[in-house]
Amino acid sequence: MKTESNKYLWWQQGIIYQIYPRSYQDSNADGVGDLKGIISRLDYIKELGIKAIWVSPVFPSPMADFGYDISDYKNIHPLFGNLNDFDQLLQEVHARDMKLILDFVPNHSSDQHPWFIESRSSRNNPKRDWYIWKDPKPDGSEPNNWQSMFGGSAWQWDGNTSQYYYHSFLKEQPDLNWRNPDVQYAMLDVMRFWFNKGIDGFRIDVLWHLMKDPEFRDNPVNPDYRPGQPSFNKYIQVNNSDGPDVLEVVRRMRMLTNVHKDRVLIGEIYLPLDKLMKYYGQHNKGVHLPFNFLLLSLPWEADKIAASITQYEAALPPNGWPNWVLGNHDQVRIASRVGLAQARIAAMLLLTLRGTPTIYYGDEIGMHDVPIPEEEVQDPQGLNMPELNVSRDPARTPMQWSEYRYAGFSPHKPWLRLPDNYKRLNVSVQEGRRLSMLNLYKRLISFRQKEPALMVGSYTQVYADKQQLAFLRTYGKTQFLVVLNLTHRPCYFKPKDFRFSGKIELATYPEPEGKMVKNVINLSGDEGVIVRLHDAR
Ligand code: GLC
């Protein structure tokens, strides 16, 4: 449909799809996914209706944190292929009128990066100050109480040079010192390198961590800490991240990005709303999309979710474009969090809210977290805190393509196991079934993409209670009413002060589609509908 909605940019109109490259498609039979594998699945992604693919890190790495520990920012890990394969991937993505977003990990490198090897070699090395080195306290203990996100102190003693270095994550992931201008230069140069290759944007890893308190003050004790939580919860995370000058760095990244036409920056930021919004930057000079993770953490309750959507909408800066995320490689999968029946509602919510949706690979077929036996756990978060059941492996298992051995992911035993039920839960089975999750996703996406009201229209909440949530999406004269039942029990949508009539265009199960409704909708448990309104009120 040709409308004024064409004035919106691709990352405002389109849908982003996250690929965890180890687990998408293996092309060389080593049990690990790779770039050629992704290329072979581009037609599937295109058919799904995706605009942009975000690929988690594919750079050389010792894999202590599965690629989020980079030892060379300007190359490709041989496990995934090489720079030629990368160029081919980029070209094939563009040939399908899609976009490619890479993962940029600026907060820390691998301890095997030549910069860190130099930095730790002596106190006088020119790269010493590229990382964060501190003397011990007089009693020999750590410089402050900051904790690693993966458990234990964030300070690692280096006997060779008798100082501690700082690592927000693993000790194999030393934090770079972003207050050093040479570090800034080198890292911005990494962005330039990939932009010059023609990529369309970056998802920036733990963006709010780049700047810490310049005085390295202790974090305050968290009075709500309960034993059984990770050690970083003992303290309120205020001084170890989100430092006052982080926005200046973000602004520089944005300036560099603006030199290249039509690119996007997406920031991974887990912060409360007021702090999150700052990352749009003054006059929108920050990242285009600070990831909005509200739906990942809220209890699955209609009134709470409705209130949060309203708060988020109200908090957005002028011209700040919203976005929504239901899952990623660090979180429990949506089908495991809310169950399969509600995962259909979640899909409808994600694809009817105002703002750019990000879909995590496999969620479109309702993949669930896979139980990984203790002796097979690989994620360092799981290994370091075994008693807390926080391994991220279950949400990172190979894509389930077909009923063939190893689900068509690889002819070789995959790096993480598949679930027992992959023979019935896979793309090829779902392609043939009208009522499958995959077909629901496809229908929702294609409907959203041809209706400007859903794609870019305004959002107005209409009603919410303990069970249901309803809102309007409006563009010009077109208006849709979305009503979602977030429980398994039936309910009546019959708001007192909102009169409506229209036709149900799309539903989580197709039976009600085509029906006319007026001022009341009787919803089944786990049912959601999109109604095209005849006339507002
Ligand atoms: C981000 C990544 C996560 C990684 C961490 C450290 O949160 O999403 O997977 O472990 O950063 O790089």
Side-chain angles (χ1 to χ4, degrees), residues 146 179 211-218 239-241 243-244:
W146 297 358
R179 293 215 168 85
M211 291 296 197
K212 296 88 168 119
D213 174 34
E215 292 168 45
F216 285 80
R217 284 170 291 195
D218 275 348
N239 290 332
N240 60 331
S241 59

Side-chain angles (χ1 to χ4, degrees), residues 18 20 54 56 65-69 103 105 107-108 149-150 169-170 173 203 205-206 208 268 270 328-330 379-381 392 396:
Q18 181 192 355
Y20 196 66
W54 150 35
S56 283
D65 189 20
F66 293 106
Y68 284 95
D69 49 321
D103 215 310
V105 189
N107 178 67
H108 44 267
M149 295 295 140
F150 290 151
F169 295 89
L170 294 176
Q173 295 168 294
R203 171 268 189 189
D205 192 65
V206 295
W208 83 111
E268 185 207 22
Y270 286 90
N328 64 38
H329 63 294
D330 297 325
D379 174 28
Q381 182 165 286
R392 297 167 295 180
R396 297 176 172 180

Side-chain angles (χ1 to χ4, degrees), residues 144-157:
N144 64 23
N145 67 4
W146 297 358
Q147 301 287 304
S148 153
M149 295 295 140
F150 290 151
S153 169
W155 295 97
Q156 176 67 25
W157 179 247

